[in-house]
Amino acid sequence: MRRPAPLQLRPGLPVLPRGDREVQVGLDPRWAVRLVDLPPAEAALWSTVDATTDLTALPARAGDAGADPASVAATVDDLRRAGLTRVPPPGPGTAGPAGADARAWSLLAVDGGGDAVVARRADAVAGVVGLGPTGLGVARHLAVAGVGTLLLDDDAPVSPADVAGTHRWSDVGTPRALAAARALRDAVPGVRVDGDAEPDVVVVVEHHAADPGRAMLLMSAQVPHVPVVVRDADAIVGPVVRPGLDPCLRCLDLHRTDVDPAWPTVLRSLTSARAPAVTEVGVLAGAAAALAAAQVLALLAGTVPALCSASVELALPDLVARERRWATHPACGCVTPPGTTDAGPREA
């Protein structure tokens, strides 16, 4: 008789005793379950299970533990139907810093294939425009998570204020893109930081306001993009724009113009060379970089990022996030033709 394929709990699902007749599988309320009214022997047996245990062999161990094999087999089947198990992947699994990502995505992915999610990142290409502390933080998160190629764009010299990020004091005066390439190779020696590949997604970090011209270029090229606008005491991440599917940055400017007719004039001032400089605060840059990188990784995993049709403001001093939802603007035409109406954000 053919032996069934091994079956394991998904990584990150500890089995925790809750008493003589009850155990808990997992901690996160999104997937944690309680196994209740178990005979004491079966509860004790489940307390020995971890993510390396072959659950298909557990009923055979039940008799030696004084538990009912049929009851144990039924519980294994219940956990399988609840989506808390997976067939273990071949090979040793993801090693290095991206291993933690693989474990997390083994809980998040429908099929439990976190290693496959991370492995696909090796072929991904992400662009990062603006490589001060926030942009370099984004690039570093993506490199450590296993994104294979990063296209770096920022010829401005590293300033002393940029050392709040991953730049070094010895980088001051060096073009940011060159200094960023060095920092990323130090962190992840295998990452590619050059080439002319087409990006799968681009993160654009700007000060004061998003440049409409750059946003239109990305829309014309049909490149998904994640805007990050850094100001003196806050940063705005999003909305994530998948061209043709989500409200674009022109939609946002049109909505702002509806409220404030002078916004286009203000916007031109904020995006001109005469705009005052912004010094990126370290903790703000770190928080914004992590949030933007998470949206990119969600997109590369084939899921719909949470910030499609939404932006998040992270404000000092406490960095508590405030979300704002956005609709397509009827006059834009990026999703709906000009002159039509849109009642709100489209469902993905």
Side-chain angles (χ1 to χ4, degrees), residues 34-84:
R34 292 161 51 205
L35 306 180
V36 299
D37 297 328
L38 300 173
E42 186 173 341
L45 177 63
W46 279 105
S47 296
T48 68
V49 170
D50 60 26
T52 66
T53 303
D54 181 0
L55 299 181
T56 62
L58 199 61
R61 292 171 43 193
D64 293 338
D68 178 10
S71 177
V72 173
T75 302
V76 170
D77 201 43
D78 288 342
L79 292 172
R80 180 188 58 78
R81 286 197 300 269
L84 299 184

Side-chain angles (χ1 to χ4, degrees), residues 17-266:
R18 292 178 57 91
D20 291 342
R21 303 178 64 86
E22 182 178 333
V23 297
Q24 176 175 321
V25 180
L27 287 171
D28 193 307
R30 288 176 289 180
W31 42 69
V33 299
R34 292 161 51 205
L35 306 180
V36 299
D37 297 328
L38 300 173
E42 186 173 341
L45 177 63
W46 279 105
S47 296
T48 68
V49 170
D50 60 26
T52 66
T53 303
D54 181 0
L55 299 181
T56 62
L58 199 61
R61 292 171 43 193
D64 293 338
D68 178 10
S71 177
V72 173
T75 302
V76 170
D77 201 43
D78 288 342
L79 292 172
R80 180 188 58 78
R81 286 197 300 269
L84 299 184
T85 64
R86 67 169 186 167
V87 176
T94 305
D101 267 51
R103 284 175 57 85
W105 277 96
S106 292
L107 290 168
L108 297 167
V110 172
D111 62 356
D115 290 284
V117 170
V118 172
R120 288 195 296 270
R121 295 175 184 168
D123 297 324
V125 181
V128 182
V129 179
L131 293 163
T134 304
L136 183 50
V138 172
R140 182 181 174 88
H141 280 306
L142 297 179
V144 170
V147 175
T149 301
L150 292 168
L151 307 178
L152 307 175
D153 184 359
D154 193 340
D155 292 330
V158 175
S159 72
D162 292 333
V163 181
T166 314
H167 290 298
R168 302 180 300 195
W169 282 107
S170 58
D171 293 329
V172 172
T174 303
R176 283 173 171 170
L178 292 179
R182 183 275 312 159
L184 296 177
R185 289 193 183 104
D186 284 350
V188 184
V191 69
R192 297 179 294 277
V193 291
D194 49 24
D196 55 0
E198 293 295 321
D200 299 300
V201 58
V202 172
V203 179
V204 182
V205 181
E206 299 176 282
H207 291 169
H208 298 299
D211 180 359
R214 181 179 282 123
M216 288 303 297
L217 287 174
L218 291 168
M219 287 292 291
S220 298
Q222 295 290 295
V223 177
H225 45 287
V226 183
V228 181
V229 174
V230 182
R231 301 184 294 201
D232 288 299
D234 68 358
I236 301 170
V237 181
V240 177
V241 180
R242 299 168 299 165
L245 295 175
D246 307 304
C248 71
L249 299 190
R250 182 168 181 262
C251 288
L252 273 62
D253 286 330
L254 289 170
H255 283 302
R256 291 177 178 124
T257 303
D258 289 343
V259 176
D260 178 6
W263 172 248
T265 302
V266 174

